Amino acid sequence: MSVAVDTRHWIGGERVASARTFPDRSPIDGSLLAEVARGGADEAKAAVAAAGEAFPGWAATSRDERARLLRRIADGVERRLSELAIVETTDNGALLRSHRNGVMPRVAHNFRFFADWLTGLGHDDFDTRGHTNHVSWDPAGPCVLITPWNAPLMLATWKVAPALAAGNTVILKPAEWSPLTASLLADIAAEAGLPPGVLNVVQGYGAEAGAALVAHPDVRRISFTGSVPTARTIAAAAAANLVPTSFELGGKSPLLVFADADLDLAVDLAVEQFDNAGQVCLAGTRLLVDAAIADEFTARLAARTAALRQGDPRDEATDVGPNIHPDHLARVDGFVRRALAAGGRVVAGGGPNTDLGGLYYRPTLLADLPSGAEALTEEIFGPVLTLQTFDTEDEAVALANGTRFGLAAVVVTGDPTRAARVTARLVAGTVWVNCFFVRDLRAPFGGARQSGIGREGGTWSFDFYCDIKNTVTAPKGWRDHG
Ligand code: NAD
């Protein structure tokens, strides 16, 4: 497999090479896709300098013009949608049909949405004893945006679009396991006419390029999506310069199935948790099922799980593709082996797919795990779901809230009053009732507990990416300071 992507950095409107590169391999077959520029302290310094130089001009650009350019980027994404979809699938192994039909259209929407939101952003002026209070959302400066590999361009643009709309300049550091579409985004932004230095892309490893970027004293915002351990490291670096951070982190979300649920819907929703081979932060991987229906639910889910078609993510018929990397596959399998050693039982799957080889892991259901078992509390980030039962609503809520995470929760019930009672008690940034993954950019997005800090989406994004200022103006001739 080969891809036509320029994998050098994009700094100050130019392609910049590094002395070293790192290999980027496809999870589909392990083939070498590209040797990618391996940035470090020098590239981070150059990119922050370019972003700093471009900042005053971009911040002073009118909102209408910024919105126009963002919409042109959206047009560019749509024009190159097929290319973006195939490059992303080749690079991270998620299904081509979902990249083509869902993810890439959403990438374009990210730019259109924040362009539109920007033009409506504001607050009515108000009066204090004749003085006018005017609230403004001022651009903050260069922003470092660091993203993971599981939904690369989607998650990158969900940060890039509002940061640029707000009048900031950006340095994007994509994940080293899926670096390609960030490079294509730089091309698209340049073609759209974005001025040099407004968007910069630095490639490289987290501990090198990422660490140098988040430690740079001229950075004004850090938005990070990734794992909890990395967030701790970034938080420490950000603390040194007192830079505001927004963290979208891991999850161990519960999917609660009550006895009054539509069982067909509950099984459908459970099967959806295998999407992207389970590499979805929001996935409801802990199935909490009323004991009264647990046997029937489990039998039906096991049959559906076993019937999932696993294979090449470019094949339209495939349901579940490969995992991202050999190290990640070994990590996922390690969780399953330890779960079995702790007394867990395999209901479906349970190991690598030896028919396919490579990075394919069988969609797996685990049951009978002892309370507190690692597989019930730690994020596995692979196609592995656990089953637990409950007898009462209180018990269900206690199990649901019983981890250090709080990203999302799914509640399946036919009783609206139960839904209201239970959702009110769940600790989660997003709760879905009888549905999953319905996302709207107007809504706040983020996690409770160790699933994140802060919210992005709609005005919440602008609140993070802006310095909010209140300007109080006295009426003409006013002298009273009281
Ligand atoms: P990761 O934390 O290993 O890496 C994420 C990014 O951080 C990468 O670009 C990496 O290069 C960079 N990085 C690593 N060390 C760094 C450092 N010291 N300084 C600066 N940057 C550094 O996470 P991952 O394995 O790529 O992604 C999987 C994790 O992301 C899972 O925990 C998943 O739940 C989470 N995630 C969360 C959301 C959300 O919205 N909450 C969405 C997707 C993924």
Side-chain angles (χ1 to χ4, degrees), residues 41 65 190 236 253 395 430:
E65 176 62 5
S253 300
E395 202 186 333
T430 303

Side-chain angles (χ1 to χ4, degrees), residues 147-149 173 176 206 210 224-227 230 248-250 281 379 445:
T147 49
W149 45 262
K173 209 298 280 171
E176 51 269 44
F224 168 71
T225 299
S227 65
T230 305
E248 314 272 2
L249 309 179
C281 57
E379 182 182 46
F445 181 80

Side-chain angles (χ1 to χ4, degrees), residues 251-294:
K252 189 73 181 172
S253 300
L255 188 158
L256 299 92
V257 184
F258 288 94
D260 53 26
D262 170 343
L263 220 53
D264 290 334
L265 172 68
V267 172
D268 282 349
L269 290 171
V271 170
E272 267 191 59
Q273 311 309 316
F274 290 118
D275 281 1
N276 201 4
Q279 301 165 140
V280 175
C281 57
L282 295 161
T285 53
R286 286 188 300 135
L287 307 176
L288 310 180
V289 187
D290 191 313
I293 54 160

Side-chain angles (χ1 to χ4, degrees), residues 142-146 213-216 219-224 234 237-238 243-247 456 464-465:
C143 301
V144 165
L145 312 178
I146 299 199
L213 284 168
V214 297
H216 198 293
V219 167
R220 294 288 171 259
R221 294 289 187 277
I222 298 169
S223 179
F224 168 71
I234 294 177
V243 179
T245 52
S246 173
F247 287 158
E456 295 189 37
F464 173 70
Y465 288 111

Side-chain angles (χ1 to χ4, degrees), residues 81 147 156 195 199 244 250 360 418 434 452 460 465 478 481:
L81 197 138
T147 49
L199 169 68
Y360 294 88
R418 186 200 293 280
N434 296 330
W460 290 274
Y465 288 111
W478 188 270
H481 297 283

